[in-house]
Amino acid sequence: MTSMAIRALVDETLRDERGRPCRMTGGEFPEENRASLSMRFDDGSWCSLEIEASRLDAATIDAVARGWARDPDYRAHFMTPGSHSFVGRDLLLPQDREHEEEERLMQAERLAARREALELVLARGEAATFEEYAALRSGSDEFSGRRLSRLRTDLGDLGEEVATLGAALSDKALASALRWCARGLPPLQAVRRAEVETEVERMAAEDRNSRWRR
């Protein structure tokens, strides 16, 4: 006796990445601990996926359906002519393209803000304020992981000038100054940025200690 689906998971027509209609159907078979999903296109191509799970949430079904319909790279994981694919509990879900685009836009905005802050400090020169130095951010770049010795070697004469101007800095702060010099700040401003960073860290530590004593 063939088990009946406990419910229809989905039965709708979607549009693929070219605007062509594709039919998505699916149901659950609890006695067999599986769910079945199928996608059929007007040109006769199709893919069928059996998932080892007694119940599937709507968000998973929606992601799979739209991934099959609109993302040819995702569809290619399952779709071969006449294929019948089986996927276990770790079902591969498509990447969220909209989320990826939002993340790219956010990264571009962050890069633009960092560039603008650096250009402001460069333009203001010796008149740049504590707050303007504190607003400088680098993110993770090619200089972030470089150690003090390599930074001094890479920067050559500029590195020696930074080291001379920043003789009172700790090794950590001097490395920061050298990184900022590598990113485009003149030696004096690079040392000033490291001094501001040290002061910001000191004030943050004092604030934490003050709150701990309360």
Side-chain angles (χ1 to χ4, degrees), residues 76-213:
H77 282 287
F78 309 100
M79 195 166 191
T80 359
S83 70
H84 192 90
S85 303
F86 176 84
V87 176
R89 296 184 186 279
D90 295 325
L91 173 63
L92 174 69
L93 294 178
Q95 295 295 313
D96 187 339
R97 301 292 173 146
E98 291 184 4
H99 177 72
E100 288 181 356
E101 182 59 26
E102 288 175 3
E103 182 61 28
R104 280 194 293 269
L105 289 173
M106 288 176 63
Q107 288 179 349
E109 290 173 359
R110 285 193 291 266
L111 286 172
R114 291 169 188 160
R115 189 163 47 246
E116 184 179 343
L118 180 60
E119 289 172 354
L120 176 63
V121 169
L122 285 168
R124 289 179 59 79
E126 294 183 9
T129 66
F130 182 97
E131 290 74 16
E132 288 165 346
Y133 277 108
L136 289 178
R137 297 289 184 274
S138 66
S140 179
D141 62 14
E142 59 184 305
F143 308 110
S144 299
R146 294 189 188 179
R147 297 182 179 275
L148 180 59
S149 57
R150 182 182 172 185
L151 288 163
R152 292 187 67 166
T153 300
D154 290 347
L155 286 170
D157 291 342
L158 278 177
E160 291 307 310
E161 186 175 352
V162 171
T164 300
L165 292 169
L169 296 174
S170 67
D171 284 353
K172 176 185 175 183
L174 179 57
S176 177
L178 289 165
R179 291 187 188 101
W180 279 105
C181 185
R183 292 169 185 137
L185 284 181
L188 187 60
Q189 286 189 290
V191 170
R192 177 60 178 149
R193 173 61 177 81
E195 292 172 340
V196 167
E197 181 179 348
T198 300
E199 180 64 12
V200 168
E201 290 175 351
R202 184 192 65 78
M203 291 188 295
E206 285 187 355
D207 182 61
R208 286 194 300 271
N209 291 335
S210 174
R211 283 187 279 110
W212 181 81
R213 287 193 294 267

Side-chain angles (χ1 to χ4, degrees), residues 4-11 25-30 34-38 49-51 53-54 56 61:
M4 299 293 292
I6 191 172
R7 68 186 178 105
L9 291 172
V10 64
D11 186 359
T25 58
E28 290 176 337
F29 298 82
R34 69 181 177 91
S36 177
L37 300 173
S38 295
L49 177 65
E50 290 199 5
I51 305 163
S54 60
L56 288 177
I61 298 303

